[in-house]
Amino acid sequence: MPVLVMKFGGTSVANLDRIRRAAKRVGVEVAKGYDVIVIVSAMSGKTNEMVGWVNETSPLYDAREYDAVVSSGENVTAGLMALTLQEMDVPARSWQGWQVPLITNSAHSAARIEEIPTDNINAKFGEGMRVAVVAGFQGVSPEGRITTLGRGGSDTTAVAFAAAFDAERCDIYTDVDGVYTTDPRIADKARKLDKIAFEEMLELASLGAKVLQTRSVELAMRYNVKLRVLSSFEEQSDEAGTLVCAEEEIMESNVVNGIAYSRDEAKMTLISVADRPGIAASIFGSLSDAGVNVDMIIQNISEEGRTDMTFSCPTDQVARAEKAMAESKDSGEINFHDLVADIDVAKVSAVGIGMRSQSGVAAKMFKTLCDEGINIKVIATSEIKISVLIDRKYMELAVQSLHDAFELDKAA
Amino acid sequence: MPVLVMKFGGTSVANLDRIRRAAKRVGVEVAKGYDVIVIVSAMSGKTNEMVGWVNETSPLYDAREYDAVVSSGENVTAGLMALTLQEMDVPARSWQGWQVPLITNSAHSAARIEEIPTDNINAKFGEGMRVAVVAGFQGVSPEGRITTLGRGGSDTTAVAFAAAFDAERCDIYTDVDGVYTTDPRIADKARKLDKIAFEEMLELASLGAKVLQTRSVELAMRYNVKLRVLSSFEEQSDEAGTLVCAEEEIMESNVVNGIAYSRDEAKMTLISVADRPGIAASIFGSLSDAGVNVDMIIQNISEEGRTDMTFSCPTDQVARAEKAMAESKDSGEINFHDLVADIDVAKVSAVGIGMRSQSGVAAKMFKTLCDEGINIKVIATSEIKISVLIDRKYMELAVQSLHDAFELDKAA
């Protein structure tokens, strides 16, 4: 039988009523003849609660223990979903990551999936089970410790299962009815997109549009998984939501297709770094070893052998970055005067595959921000996006004015 | 190094402060030179919350999914405890049941421990780890599904680890400072016992004195594990709490050493059962298959080939018992007129190893209840206990008057 993957996020399984509602959606697909793999997140709020406990217990925590703690919410939802389906007479059982086993590398808290053997679950499908409910977000390392895939990792779990089981589609049920040109909570003119290219979704996801985890989109692109984002709170047709697909499948597109933002960025500046060949590798190697996800990097022109190095990272990794830099300074590996953290910044980005063939997008973006009196602190660009760091207090204003300037409320 | 097992119940790990407090106790023992195995329960309330969810989702639940759900609370506490110890510079790591692996049989929700391999944990002790934090209550079946040991199962986990690792002692930290002659919330004259015999503790535990899970005491008795119950809320000396030990180690004892009660009992009566050889085996076999824990059993004298059969079980298993009996009736295996459930009863018991050598205990018990106007519905006795089922509304009165009658406020 054809396989369908359905993923339900935290708000879609926030309580028993919502789990029942989600289970009914699963039942509809089972009735159509699909064998279904359901990937569930933890009930909304649960993972945050546990992350809070871990941070309070141990600010520089052992990531192996972090993973053991924060993965537990998904186990609860998986069991409850299986029970709910059984009550509806749909043969179902739950799998935790280590039971599949979903094997990852040992990069705790941000592990990468290495293998998903399909035999166990396929054997059960063969015995008449119709739904495999899998706890998202988690796996098991070669050492037999529990790993997690990073926040939002259940999306990646879903896409990886869709690829491994050659699923017809991977439906991501969430609390929004699709992908928007920007966050509707910030700009009320935000418009839902019917289709979006993998590349654009990738930039939006990595820039903080929290609809899909970045890696899930990468994975979908690599394995060409048909990915659909839709709401678990509305009755759904087969055309609902937003289809994330290859660029070729999209006929017309605006130059800019979305304005993304990320609120929890920090701008870190290493003042007066002793410049030498390989210094960047030393700095960012040591940050990477400490588990800091560096985003933007800027190096000023070197003067008299010393330079300033600026980078951005999530605010909750500032302590980690400071510790790593202090250790590198103490060990003599990196010589710098000071490390200054500016945690009151936000990132705003314009994204669109149309940028490739159209010039003037950056100029229009900078002028729009300038007209609003917003100072740009850092600029970074890629082929299909332009990002700026600005004071956090201007974030909403920046998103709204850019959305207006690029006329994103109008379809192409 | 000598091994100590320390178990912390739900109230002892109810929040991060209490986990820190418990970790400090562990630190004290580590400083004394012990390698410590810490067994943790879920934060208080968590398991109940999840049991509630399962029951609401599916009243006659698949016990395999129940176990997958309700075991998750212990994983959280185990990770948090390991992190807390690490913060105190005590080398520690967490183990979930399947990681040890604590192998059980496949009797989900009431699984029995079959094996605890010691190599994994001992290898880590050999590498300098000082504390193994193990999630209590859970194990893994030969089929690789998660099992749980029944409510209070963390006590059994603790004693089983103490036996497997040949621990010097197994300290059970809880919210009371020892074992009392009865529940101090019901009888304010209740007195703490310094020592209690395994057999007595066994009867008290099985009768609802919720200090220790019954099976943990059985296991401690079988492997002669030195078991101590003490409070996690007080500074403790090595002589604190109550020592549960072999009868020989207790010099003097009262005839009755404790009055226990169980509030959530149901009295079930099968009216007019067609009597035949093997009928009891049919009835109780089918109840056992359905996972009903039958306690007392009474059969009336058979008249004209039909008899009444009365048994008691926990109130939350009544639906299960009714379903099992209805199915046995439908299949023609058991012929009866009606099944009547009385869920407004409670069990009260007097326990003491002194009963073996002293007569008149039963008579004194019945007279005491009679003087208070309490009607006895069912009587059951063993070598060291007498139990009665009475209307639940008289439970507190019965406990108090029996405590007075047997002068349990005075030491032997």
Side-chain angles (χ1 to χ4, degrees), chain B residues 32-238:
Chain B
K32 285 184 197 163
Y34 287 109
D35 279 343
V36 179
I37 298 173
V38 173
I39 312 292
V40 287
S41 297
M43 292 175 169
S44 58
K46 290 289 169 190
T47 304
N48 281 340
E49 183 182 38
M50 288 185 280
V51 169
W53 287 340
V54 169
N55 280 318
E56 195 181 329
T57 301
S58 178
L60 299 164
Y61 49 73
D62 177 346
R64 294 165 300 188
E65 300 298 345
Y66 170 96
D67 285 354
V69 171
V70 304
S71 59
S72 65
E74 279 72 13
N75 297 343
V76 174
T77 333
L80 292 175
M81 176 65 83
L83 287 166
T84 307
L85 288 161
Q86 290 175 359
E87 277 295 300
M88 292 163 49
D89 289 325
V90 177
R93 76 155 267 201
S94 71
W95 265 270
Q96 299 185 4
W98 62 272
Q99 290 176 316
V100 173
L102 188 155
I103 298 161
T104 70
N105 64 8
S106 304
H108 284 274
S109 305
R112 300 193 77 90
I113 298 172
E114 301 206 324
E115 197 191 344
I116 300 181
T118 56
D119 357 344
N120 285 339
I121 289 176
N122 273 335
K124 290 286 169 187
F125 279 140
E127 292 168 17
M129 181 193 68
R130 299 301 306 281
V131 182
V133 185
V134 177
F137 177 54
Q138 58 178 254
V140 60
S141 74
E143 295 80 29
R145 304 283 310 249
I146 292 170
T147 54
T148 64
L149 310 179
R151 294 311 298 271
S154 294
D155 293 333
T156 302
T157 308
V159 173
F161 269 87
F165 284 82
D166 200 16
E168 196 165 298
R169 204 172 62 234
C170 179
D171 285 348
I172 308 283
Y173 284 86
T174 177
D175 53 353
V176 295
D177 61 352
V179 180
Y180 277 72
T181 50
T182 193
D183 186 340
R185 289 167 302 184
I186 289 188
D188 51 17
K189 290 188 205 160
R191 179 175 54 85
K192 182 171 84 76
L193 297 159
D194 292 331
K195 289 185 177 182
I196 185 170
F198 284 129
E199 292 85 346
E200 288 174 324
M201 191 64 225
L202 210 48
E203 293 289 5
L204 290 173
S206 69
L207 293 171
K210 293 191 172 129
V211 180
L212 288 173
Q213 198 201 29
T214 315
R215 282 163 48 205
S216 69
V217 184
E218 285 173 13
L219 211 57
M221 186 159 76
R222 186 172 332 137
Y223 292 99
N224 205 18
V225 170
K226 213 168 153 184
L227 191 59
R228 197 164 59 129
V229 176
L230 69 177
S231 167
S232 56
F233 300 104
E234 292 168 21
E235 290 302 314
Q236 296 296 2
S237 68
D238 276 358

Side-chain angles (χ1 to χ4, degrees), chain A residues 266-268 270 284 287 294 296-297 309-313 321 339:
Chain A
K267 172 171 163 272
M268 312 280 288
L270 282 163
F284 297 105
L287 289 168
V294 170
M296 299 162 141
I297 298 175
M309 187 81 82
T310 299
F311 60 89
S312 70
C313 70
L339 175 60

Side-chain angles (χ1 to χ4, degrees), chain A residues 16 43 50 53 56-58 62 65 69 72 76 79 82-84 86-87 93-94 96 98-99 144-146, chain B residues 16 43 50 56-58 62 65 69 72 76 79 82-84 86-87 93-94 96 98-99 144-146:
Chain A
L16 300 185
M43 292 175 170
M50 288 184 281
W53 287 340
E56 196 182 329
T57 301
S58 178
D62 177 345
E65 300 298 346
V69 171
S72 66
V76 174
L83 288 165
T84 307
Q86 289 175 359
E87 276 295 300
R93 77 157 266 201
S94 70
Q96 299 185 4
W98 63 272
Q99 290 176 317
R145 305 279 314 246
I146 291 170
Chain B
L16 300 186
M43 292 175 169
M50 288 185 280
E56 195 181 329
T57 301
S58 178
D62 177 346
E65 300 298 345
V69 171
S72 65
V76 174
L83 287 166
T84 307
Q86 290 175 359
E87 277 295 300
R93 76 155 267 201
S94 71
Q96 299 185 4
W98 62 272
Q99 290 176 316
R145 304 283 310 249
I146 292 170

